Amino acid sequence: GAHLCFKLIIEGKGVSMDDLHPDLLPVLDEIEKFKLLIKETILCEVPLYSKKYDYCGTPDWYGRLKGWKYPVIVDLKTGQHELVGIQLSAYEQLIREYRCEQYPKGYKGIIKHLCLNIPKTGGSSLFEVTDRQAFKEFRNRQAVFNRNQERRIT
């Protein structure tokens, strides 16, 4: 789907048009436009695990964009995006725990949250998500999920 195409395009591997559903063609054009904004990719569709909070997630993209002072997390949406703030906040925690060559002890600086909204009808919008209370909401939802899982097991 769209996320696999996103990863392949961002990594410069390209996408075979013969294998694509026609609905994805407008999405590909917008991904190509987004790629032009990239200064540096640190992560693209890499699964991560939080030891501190015991959850996994796969941030769509994390890196630096041209003209932006701080690194950004970008979440790609082709449909509903009302909960994207919660999702991005969970990704931020994963990234802060992520150990890489650039940040062997994890990243402590500012990280901006962006949503790349690409409706399947074409066009796109890239907007900043600024809800800094969203991680608390994520933790509340995680606790409810965990309680429901425990009930199913017992």
Side-chain angles (χ1 to χ4, degrees):
H3 283 85
L4 176 58
C5 291
F6 181 79
K7 180 178 175 64
L8 292 171
I9 290 170
I10 299 302
E11 292 179 346
K13 296 178 181 169
V15 177
S16 169
M17 298 300 190
D18 298 336
D19 299 332
L20 284 180
H21 191 281
D23 288 352
L24 284 175
L25 294 176
V27 174
L28 294 185
D29 291 339
E30 298 303 321
I31 293 171
E32 289 285 357
K33 290 177 190 173
F34 172 75
K35 185 177 179 181
L36 297 174
L37 302 175
I38 295 175
K39 180 178 178 182
E40 174 192 19
T41 296
I42 298 171
L43 295 172
C44 184
E45 298 287 347
V46 175
L48 300 175
Y49 173 68
S50 169
K51 289 181 184 177
K52 185 174 183 178
Y53 296 106
D54 191 31
Y55 70 92
C56 300
T58 305
D60 295 342
W61 187 86
Y62 170 63
R64 296 189 174 274
L65 294 177
K66 296 172 187 170
W68 285 71
K69 181 177 180 181
Y70 301 107
V72 299
I73 305 166
V74 176
D75 194 58
L76 170 67
K77 295 293 182 200
T78 58
Q80 300 291 324
H81 56 79
E82 289 78 18
L83 300 176
V84 72
I86 295 169
Q87 191 173 2
L88 285 164
S89 70
Y91 290 158
E92 179 178 343
Q93 179 60 39
L94 292 170
I95 287 167
R96 288 193 181 282
E97 291 183 40
Y98 177 68
R99 310 295 195 248
C100 64
E101 194 173 293
Q102 293 166 300
Y103 308 110
K105 295 183 180 181
Y107 183 73
K108 306 289 186 223
I110 294 171
I111 298 174
K112 297 289 187 171
H113 298 179
L114 301 178
C115 177
L116 176 58
N117 184 40
I118 306 176
K120 290 185 179 169
T121 55
S124 68
S125 60
L126 181 65
F127 59 90
E128 187 171 356
V129 180
T130 58
D131 180 5
R132 290 317 204 179
Q133 299 300 313
F135 191 68
K136 290 179 186 174
E137 177 64 21
F138 170 77
R139 295 285 293 139
N140 290 337
R141 289 170 181 256
Q142 182 187 27
V144 169
F145 175 81
N146 289 342
R147 277 194 304 275
N148 288 338
Q149 290 297 100
E150 289 169 8
R151 288 182 189 142
R152 288 187 188 131
I153 293 171
T154 57

